Structure formats: structure tokens, C-alpha cells
Amino acid sequence: MLKSLRTMVNNMEEKEYAELIMEDEEAQQMPIIIDKLESFACADRIARYVREGKLVFARIGQFRNINIAEFKRTVSKLKTVCTAIDGDIVGVGEDWLIIAPSLAKIERGMAS
């Protein structure tokens, strides 16, 4: 940006001016929500957060072990929401899901 600013200043005549458009700092911030996924009902709350543009770290806890069928149905619902909004979802370890809105992309295979 500094190089382009210098170029603009050097190319200006005395009576001309240049308008600099600064990016809004708040537009670059993404809220991160830490939440628990304990039942199918929690999927609606988490889906709402993601639709609002928030990144969600959802702790699975014992939900997967207690009721695997309901857990799979819940994750399927969250995957559908992610597909609809061009978001992303990934499991991290055995205890966490990361559900991202379209502004954030999760890169896989980077760990060594």
C-alpha cells in the first residue's frame, strides 16, 4: 500500500487530489463462538451463528458416544447448512467440530 501511495502522490499535479479509501477494520474481524453440541436441538443455535458469519468451535463431549444416531443426524444438518451458505465443517480430534461461514475456509492436510 505504501508503494501505491507514493506512486499516486508522485503522479499528482498541484490542483489534483487523490481520494484514499481505507478498509473498514470491523469488516475484517470475524467473531468466534465456543459452544457445546449436546443434542440435535443445539444444531439450530449453531446454524444461526454460522449464518450470521460467526466461526463456531463446538465441543462434542460425550454426545457422540451417548447417542450416535442423533449425533450423525445433527452433523448432517450442520453439513447441509454449510453447503447452503458455502461454509465448511471439520472435525478436530475426537472432541471438537469447527463450523465456518463462507468468509472462512478451512484448509486440510496442513499438519505434519
Side-chain angles (χ1 to χ4, degrees), residues 74-89:
T74 304
V75 171
S76 178
K77 180 176 183 171
L78 292 173
K79 282 182 182 180
T80 302
V81 169
C82 286
T83 301
I85 64 168
D86 196 28
D88 204 356
I89 184 170

Side-chain angles (χ1 to χ4, degrees), residues 4 14 24 29 32 47 56 58 68 79 94 106:
S4 62
E14 284 183 32
D24 186 16
Q29 295 180 358
I32 299 174
V56 180
I68 190 72
K79 282 182 182 180
E94 295 184 9
I106 300 170

Side-chain angles (χ1 to χ4, degrees), residues 54-93:
K54 298 173 181 172
L55 181 69
V56 180
F57 285 75
R59 185 172 180 88
I60 300 165
Q62 294 298 316
F63 178 41
R64 182 185 64 237
N65 297 331
I66 293 171
N67 191 342
I68 190 72
E70 186 176 350
F71 175 72
K72 286 181 180 182
R73 194 174 78 154
T74 304
V75 171
S76 178
K77 180 176 183 171
L78 292 173
K79 282 182 182 180
T80 302
V81 169
C82 286
T83 301
I85 64 168
D86 196 28
D88 204 356
I89 184 170
V90 67
V92 180

Side-chain angles (χ1 to χ4, degrees), residues 4-5 7-9 11-13 15-21:
S4 62
L5 180 61
T7 304
M8 287 182 356
V9 171
N11 293 335
M12 289 181 2
E13 294 180 10
K15 295 180 182 178
E16 290 184 14
Y17 68 94
E19 182 178 345
L20 299 177
I21 300 172

